[in-house]
Amino acid sequence: MVFSRNPFEWIDEQLGGMRPFSARTPLFELRRTLIDEVDSALRGAIEGAFGRRVPINVWSGPDRVLLEAEVPGCRQEDVDVEVHGTTLTLKVRPHESAQGGELRLAERGRGEAVREVELPFRVDLERVEATLRQGVLQVVLPRAAQDSPRKIKIS
Amino acid sequence: MHRQEGSAEGADRRGAESRNMNGAIAVPRADLREFADRFVLQLDLPGVAQEGLELSLERRSLSVRGSVELRAPEGLKLRHGEFASRTLQREFRVGDGIDTDRIEAALTDGVLTVTLPKTVERASRKIQVRAS
């Protein structure tokens, strides 16, 4: 799923960007609570409708592509990366890192997410390397040798 | 993938969280669970290293601040960007029912888990009145 625009940003704009907490008068506190409640409910509704959001960055150079994705709370087994031709598919499986208790606030994504990325060239699947650190996935995809532009000798 | 020109700038380069007008500060998403004896707060802090995390309690305010520092990989150009370097910051009020001396926190896989034990209510006891 590819979003052209982050739905949460839209909501935050509608809410007037009042989230950062600073003022501490009772009225401000009340407003803050109200905003948080509405925000949380809307986020929940959007999560349900759209699934989990996985923001990505795609970097490329002449010899390789680097895909970065923010997947907080994911372990190796929660993430799948597949390449078919020049299409990369990133799948994040639904998972819960904490269990039990009564959820008082539920903003973090917990559903499934699928992102598709069109690569600028064919890649060497044997040399693809993926690492997961601090909830950030990095996949390095070297360009396939036969795909690199070559000079053709003219005799 | 979108092929937007100049995607490194503007709306396309925003982070996962709601942001204030500054653009460099974002509010991380949180879950809060209540158990019989404790609250468990979880915050998404992807890309925040232990060294880049500050967790502090002042009076009854628990504040979390984590910095995400991304470096451009050498020789590569950003074709499509949805997150960037930023400070993830959020504050929570801690009620009287929390035993602030026993708060514990752990950072795992880009998620900060803060355990806030509830104060153990003392069983009522009799107070002796001595005759003077």
Side-chain angles (χ1 to χ4, degrees), chain B residues 13 15 51 63 122-123:
Chain B
R13 190 146 168 80
E51 309 86 72
S63 95
R122 283 197 179 176

Side-chain angles (χ1 to χ4, degrees), chain A residues 12 24 47 104 107 110, chain B residues 18 29 31-32 44 91:
Chain A
D12 289 326
R24 294 203 170 262
E47 288 288 344
R104 300 291 182 216
E107 298 170 352
R110 41 178 58 73
Chain B
S18 49
R29 295 216 230 157
D31 280 358
L32 181 67
D44 279 345
E91 229 177 271

Side-chain angles (χ1 to χ4, degrees), chain A residues 132-146:
Chain A
L132 187 56
R133 274 189 71 221
Q134 292 153 0
V136 178
L137 175 75
Q138 288 200 323
V139 188
V140 180
L141 305 118
R143 187 171 193 161
Q146 63 268 33

Side-chain angles (χ1 to χ4, degrees), chain A residues 5-131:
Chain A
R5 197 154 178 236
N6 173 359
F8 300 127
E9 277 168 17
W10 180 83
I11 293 164
D12 289 326
E13 276 168 32
Q14 305 310 305
L15 293 171
M18 291 184 281
R19 305 223 49 205
F21 312 148
S22 52
R24 294 203 170 262
T25 66
L27 191 59
F28 266 84
E29 290 291 340
L30 179 65
R31 185 186 75 162
R32 186 171 98 185
T33 307
L34 190 64
I35 288 165
D36 278 359
E37 286 294 327
V38 171
D39 204 344
S40 185
L42 286 171
R43 275 177 201 274
I46 285 171
E47 288 288 344
F50 294 90
R52 182 193 172 108
R53 283 192 68 256
V54 176
I56 58 169
N57 284 342
V58 183
W59 301 81
S60 73
D63 60 343
R64 68 195 198 279
V65 172
L66 167 67
L67 171 87
E68 296 176 311
E70 287 189 332
V71 288
C74 285
R75 291 153 306 162
Q76 254 171 321
E77 55 267 35
D78 301 320
V79 183
D80 269 339
V81 180
E82 279 174 33
V83 179
H84 291 286
T86 55
T87 306
L88 180 148
T89 308
L90 168 66
K91 280 185 198 164
V92 177
R93 263 182 235 108
H95 65 279
E96 286 272 6
S97 53
Q99 246 144 54
E102 298 249 2
L103 264 175
R104 300 291 182 216
L105 185 65
E107 298 170 352
R108 299 173 57 236
R110 41 178 58 73
E112 187 186 36
V114 179
R115 296 293 310 256
E116 271 195 8
V117 174
E118 197 55 42
L119 302 170
F121 40 70
R122 285 185 172 270
V123 295
D124 184 348
L125 296 177
E126 299 296 314
R127 294 191 294 137
V128 172
E129 278 180 28
T131 52

Side-chain angles (χ1 to χ4, degrees), chain B residues 38-124:
Chain B
R38 67 193 187 278
F39 284 92
V40 176
L41 176 69
Q42 288 194 298
L43 284 146
D44 279 345
L45 302 174
V48 174
Q50 192 103 31
E51 309 86 72
L53 177 69
E54 277 174 47
L55 184 66
S56 62
L57 184 75
E58 208 184 316
R59 275 175 234 162
R60 304 304 285 191
S61 168
L62 179 77
S63 95
V64 179
R65 199 183 153 92
S67 68
V68 181
E69 280 164 43
L70 300 177
R71 256 172 279 155
E74 213 171 299
L76 300 184
K77 276 173 75 176
L78 187 68
R79 291 169 60 89
H80 175 79
E82 295 178 352
F83 64 96
S85 296
R86 62 200 184 281
T87 299
L88 296 168
Q89 198 176 319
R90 195 158 178 178
E91 229 177 271
F92 296 88
R93 268 178 311 141
V94 176
D96 293 336
I98 300 298
D99 184 347
T100 52
D101 293 333
R102 293 192 297 133
I103 294 176
E104 282 175 18
L107 183 64
T108 313
D109 301 329
V111 177
L112 176 70
T113 302
V114 186
T115 306
L116 306 120
K118 294 181 182 176
T119 27
V120 183
E121 275 184 47
R122 283 197 179 176
S124 60

